[in-house]
Amino acid sequence: MNLKYFYFFNVERARASTIDGNVSSTEEIEIETVFINEENLTLEKLDEIHEENQELKPAKRAVTGTIVTAYVNRVGTGKSCQIYLRWDGNLYITRWRLTELTIRSSNILANTLYASFNPGAKDVPGATSGSVFIGTFSVPTSQSKVRVATKGLQAYTTSNGWLSAIVNNGQATIN
């Protein structure tokens, strides 16, 4: 599977207030956000990027990284396929929820819709890596790739509650 992964450091805006006599002053400090758009991003590479951007990180990071990918598996040699979301990182995830997941042909011009799922919430054994089954769908045997798109994808973490997540809306290889 050759997907691009998107990762961003989430940080909160900081405020500093001072009172001098009867005059109060508030200063907002903006913290730069780093966006990474890189193919085949691994946790080791993510650690390297953290080290390279040390001056951009606040003393305490609000959220750590987890990589989410779509995985498509063909059942036997027929048209039937299964889709899973996989994650790997350092957030302890116990539940996923998602408004919609669509699977289309890899040919943008044809744009054939193979499946659309509205799975709602899915409980998972709490872990920093794993997979969750979304559903079964049918794809012609001539197709070796599909495009996967999600809406409203969120992970429930024990440390931060519900967090928004993204899966690359590019091509996934059918394994």
Side-chain angles (χ1 to χ4, degrees):
M1 176 169 35
N2 186 18
L3 291 178
K4 286 184 183 175
Y5 305 105
F6 296 86
Y7 176 84
F8 22 126
F9 299 90
N10 255 345
V11 293
E12 294 182 26
R13 179 171 286 193
R15 279 203 148 168
S17 297
T18 58
I19 299 175
D20 183 15
N22 293 331
V23 179
S24 90
S25 149
T26 300
E27 180 182 350
E28 271 195 15
I29 305 164
E30 291 203 24
I31 301 172
E32 189 169 345
T33 303
V34 177
F35 293 93
I36 302 165
N37 177 358
E38 188 168 318
E39 290 197 24
N40 300 318
L41 184 64
T42 63
L43 288 175
E44 291 78 21
K45 178 66 177 169
L46 190 56
D47 286 340
E48 266 181 49
I49 293 167
H50 280 220
E51 291 303 316
E52 291 170 5
N53 293 288
Q54 191 67 28
E55 73 279 359
L56 298 178
K57 291 185 347 186
K60 182 177 179 184
R61 213 172 46 225
V63 178
T64 57
T66 294
I67 298 170
V68 183
T69 59
Y71 180 78
V72 179
N73 184 42
R74 190 176 297 276
V75 180
T77 58
K79 294 180 178 182
S80 183
C81 292
Q82 297 176 329
I83 184 152
Y84 295 82
L85 291 182
R86 287 184 170 175
W87 74 95
D88 187 25
N90 27 9
L91 292 174
Y92 193 79
I93 295 173
T94 60
R95 188 170 222 208
W96 287 94
R97 68 181 174 196
L98 119 114
T99 307
E100 182 180 26
L101 183 140
T102 56
I103 303 167
R104 296 183 177 277
S105 65
S106 60
N107 181 340
I108 295 173
L109 298 176
N111 204 24
T112 304
L113 177 66
Y114 294 128
S116 180
F117 297 97
N118 305 93
K122 299 259 186 178
D123 289 321
V124 295
T128 56
S129 64
S131 63
V132 60
F133 175 73
I134 301 298
T136 302
F137 62 101
S138 186
V139 173
T141 56
S142 60
Q143 299 298 310
S144 62
K145 295 182 178 185
V146 291
R147 285 186 297 133
V148 178
T150 62
K151 289 183 184 172
L153 179 61
Q154 294 182 317
Y156 187 83
T157 66
T158 55
S159 57
N160 299 303
W162 286 106
L163 297 175
S164 294
I166 54 175
V167 174
N168 177 44
N169 295 346
Q171 292 188 358
T173 300
I174 299 173
N175 297 298

